[in-house]
C-alpha cells in the first residue's frame, strides 16, 4: 500500500522552529515530487511547498517563503519541512502529499501532523 | 496569493446531482488544464477525485465528473449518496510556479 506518514508536530512558541518529517512506503520515493499542504483550524487547504523528485524544482507559497525550507532524502524515503520564525497563523494540520505527475495533482496523502504556535 | 473561489456550501437530496464551481483567473484555471478536485472527510486524509480538469483516477466512482469553461472549473456529483457528505476542494497550478486551492465547499446530503 502506498503510504505517507507525517511526524514532528507539536506546540511551539512564536518565533520558534520546528522540523516536520514525512515517511514514505509502498512506492518508488525517488520517482515522485512531493508537497506540504496545511489546514488551519476551521479553514480550507493551503498549499505550502513543493519539491521535485530530483530537487531541481522547489516552490513555496508567499506566506512561508524565507521562513520554511523543504528538503528530501531519497535514500531514506523521507520528506522534511523545516519551519522557522513561526507565527500564530502557522498553526495548522500539516499534510504531506505525493505529486501524481499528471498536472500537479496530489494522489497520495498522509493523515497529517498538528502544529500549534502559541505562547 | 488569493484562493480560488468556491461556494461555501451546496446541498442536495439522495439521488440528485449537484455541481460545485471553482472560479479562478487567466493566471490559473483560465490558462492551464491543471485543475484537480479533492474530497476531504473529517479526520481523514484528502482524496483525489479528478485530475487535469476531467480525468478520474482508477478506483474513483464515475459519479464524480469534472469540466472547465473559461476560468471556471466544475465538479459534478451524480446520484448523490449520504457517504458523499464532506468538504470538497479544487486546486490549480498558477503562473509564477505556485499551487492554489479553493476555499472549499461543504456538501450536505439532505
Amino acid at each position: 500500500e502506498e503510504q505517507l506518514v507525517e511526524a514532528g508536530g507539536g506546540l511551539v512558541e512564536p518565533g520558534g522552529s520546528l522540523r516536520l518529517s514525512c515517511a514514505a512506503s509502498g512506492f518508488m520515493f525517488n520517482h515522485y515530487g512531493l508537497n506540504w499542504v496545511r489546514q488551519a483550524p476551521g479553514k480550507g487547504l493551503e498549499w505550502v511547498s513543493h519539491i521535485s523528485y530530483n530537487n531541481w524544482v522547489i516552490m513555496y507559497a508567499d506566506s512561508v517563503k524565507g521562513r520554511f525550507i523543504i528538503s528530501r532524502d531519497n535514500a531514506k524515503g523521507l520528506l522534511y519541512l523545516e519551519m522557522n520564525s513561526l507565527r500564530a497563523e502557522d498553526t495548522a494540520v500539516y499534510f504531506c502529499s505525493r505529486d501524481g505527475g499528471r498536472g500537479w495533482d496530489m494522489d497520495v496523502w498522509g493523515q497529517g501532523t498538528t502544529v500549534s504556535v502559541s505562547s | 496569493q488569493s484562493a480560488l473561489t468556491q461556494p461555501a456550501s451546496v446541498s442536495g437530496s439522495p439521488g440528485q446531482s449537484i455541481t460545485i464551481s471553482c472560479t479562478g483567473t487567466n493566471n490559473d484555471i483560465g490558462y492551464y488544464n491543471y485543475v484537480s478536485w479533492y474530497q476531504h472527510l473529517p479526520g481523514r486524509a484528502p482524496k483525489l477525485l479528478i485530475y487535469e480538469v476531467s480525468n478520474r483516477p482508477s478506483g474513483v466512482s464515475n459519479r464524480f465528473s469534472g469540466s472547465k469553461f473559461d476560468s471556471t472549473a466544475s465538479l459534478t456529483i451524480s446520484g448523490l449518496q449520504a457517504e458523499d457528505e464532506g468538504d470538497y476542494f479544487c486546486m490549480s497550478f498558477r503562473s509564477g510556479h505556485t499551487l492554489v486551492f479553493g476555499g472549499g465547499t461543504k456538501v450536505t446530503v439532505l
Side-chain angles (χ1 to χ4, degrees):
Chain A
E1 181 188 3
E2 299 171 326
Q3 196 172 8
L4 295 168
V5 179
E6 302 91 341
L11 175 63
V12 61
E13 292 187 346
S17 298
L18 207 58
R19 189 197 201 198
L20 306 182
S21 63
C22 172
S25 60
F27 64 93
M28 296 290 287
F29 183 79
N30 59 356
H31 286 195
Y32 292 90
L34 297 160
N35 297 280
W36 286 101
V37 176
R38 68 186 181 184
Q39 185 173 35
K43 302 293 186 180
L45 298 175
E46 180 190 13
W47 170 77
V48 173
S49 183
H50 168 89
I51 186 167
S52 62
Y53 73 99
N54 57 5
N55 293 303
W56 287 5
V57 177
I58 289 178
M59 299 155 32
Y60 296 99
D62 287 346
S63 57
V64 306
K65 200 173 294 184
R67 300 187 300 123
F68 289 11
I69 300 173
I70 191 171
S71 63
R72 63 189 296 163
D73 186 331
N74 283 346
K76 295 182 179 179
L78 289 169
L79 170 71
Y80 300 103
L81 185 68
E82 184 177 338
M83 304 185 295
N84 303 303
S85 302
L86 282 162
R87 307 165 180 167
E89 55 264 35
D90 295 318
T91 294
V93 176
Y94 285 73
F95 299 95
C96 61
S97 65
R98 189 180 78 174
D99 184 336
R102 300 166 299 193
W104 301 96
D105 64 297
M106 301 180 188
D107 65 343
V108 179
W109 292 70
Q111 293 287 342
T113 186
T114 301
V115 173
S116 297
V117 183
S118 174
S119 53
Chain B
Q1 288 166 328
S2 55
L4 305 173
T5 301
Q6 296 181 234
S9 63
V10 173
S11 61
S13 299
Q16 285 186 330
S17 293
I18 61 171
T19 296
I20 302 168
S21 61
C22 172
T23 301
T25 69
N26 287 331
N27 292 320
D28 38 65
I29 295 175
Y31 190 82
Y32 301 98
N33 286 325
Y34 296 149
V35 179
S36 50
W37 288 89
Y38 303 86
Q39 177 191 60
H40 192 193
L41 305 180
R44 301 186 64 173
K47 176 186 177 182
L48 175 67
L49 296 175
I50 297 288
Y51 66 93
E52 289 182 315
V53 176
S54 59
N55 295 293
R56 264 189 320 274
S58 61
V60 172
S61 171
N62 58 9
R63 297 188 299 107
F64 296 95
S65 61
S67 62
K68 187 185 88 164
F69 181 75
D70 285 345
S71 298
T72 297
S74 298
L75 174 72
T76 297
I77 308 175
S78 305
L80 197 63
Q81 300 177 1
E83 66 198 48
D84 298 330
E85 273 207 348
D87 296 324
Y88 291 78
F89 295 88
C90 59
M91 192 195 74
S92 175
F93 180 83
R94 173 177 282 177
S95 300
H97 278 81
T98 62
L99 301 174
V100 59
F101 281 94
T105 298
K106 183 176 184 61
V107 168
T108 301
V109 181
L110 302 172

